[in-house]
Amino acid sequence: QVRLVESGGGLVQAGGSLRLSCVASGSIVMNDMGWYRQAPREQRELVAMISAGSTIYADSVKGRFTISRDNAKNTVYLQMNSLKPEDTAVYYCNARTVGFGYDYIYWGQGTQVTVSS
C-alpha cells in the first residue's frame, strides 16, 4: 500500500536551515506533492505544493522555503532557510494521485520542526 515517509525534521536555531524529504512508496505516480504544517492549537495549513512544474507557497514562507521533487523517485523536498520560531510545527507530507476512475490523497505521519530563539 502507498506510504509517505518524511524525514529531516529536528531542532534548529533561528536563522538556520533544514531540508525535509518525503518518499512515496509504491509504483504509482503522484500528480501533486507538497507540505502542510500544524502548530499546537492551530489549524493545519498549506506550506508549499508542486505539480507539473508549478509551485505554490504560503505568503509566510515565500523567499525562504523552496519545494522541489524528483519524479523518478516519487520524492518531494522542502528546503527551509532563514527559519523563524513561528515556523515551529509538525510538518506533514501530502500527495495526490489522479487518473481515470480514481482520486486519492495520502498523508505522512509528520516530522517535528522546532526553531529556537
Side-chain angles (χ1 to χ4, degrees), residues 28-84:
I28 194 167
V29 176
M30 300 297 177
N31 298 101
D32 307 322
M33 298 189 75
W35 295 91
Y36 288 71
R37 68 186 182 187
Q38 187 168 16
R41 302 178 182 179
E42 299 291 336
Q43 182 177 332
R44 189 173 298 186
E45 64 177 354
L46 174 68
V47 177
M49 186 70 65
I50 186 167
S51 178
S54 64
T55 57
I56 298 173
Y57 294 95
D59 288 341
S60 61
V61 307
K62 285 183 178 178
R64 300 188 298 119
F65 292 9
T66 302
I67 189 169
S68 61
R69 67 185 295 178
D70 185 334
N71 292 328
K73 298 179 179 180
N74 269 348
T75 301
V76 65
Y77 306 93
L78 185 67
Q79 179 66 46
M80 304 185 293
N81 298 326
S82 301
L83 283 162
K84 304 175 180 179

Side-chain angles (χ1 to χ4, degrees), residues 84-95:
K84 304 175 180 179
E86 49 263 47
D87 295 318
T88 296
V90 177
Y91 284 70
Y92 296 92
C93 183
N94 171 267

Side-chain angles (χ1 to χ4, degrees), residues 14-25:
S17 298
L18 286 173
R19 188 185 189 227
L20 305 183
S21 299
C22 173
V23 180
S25 66

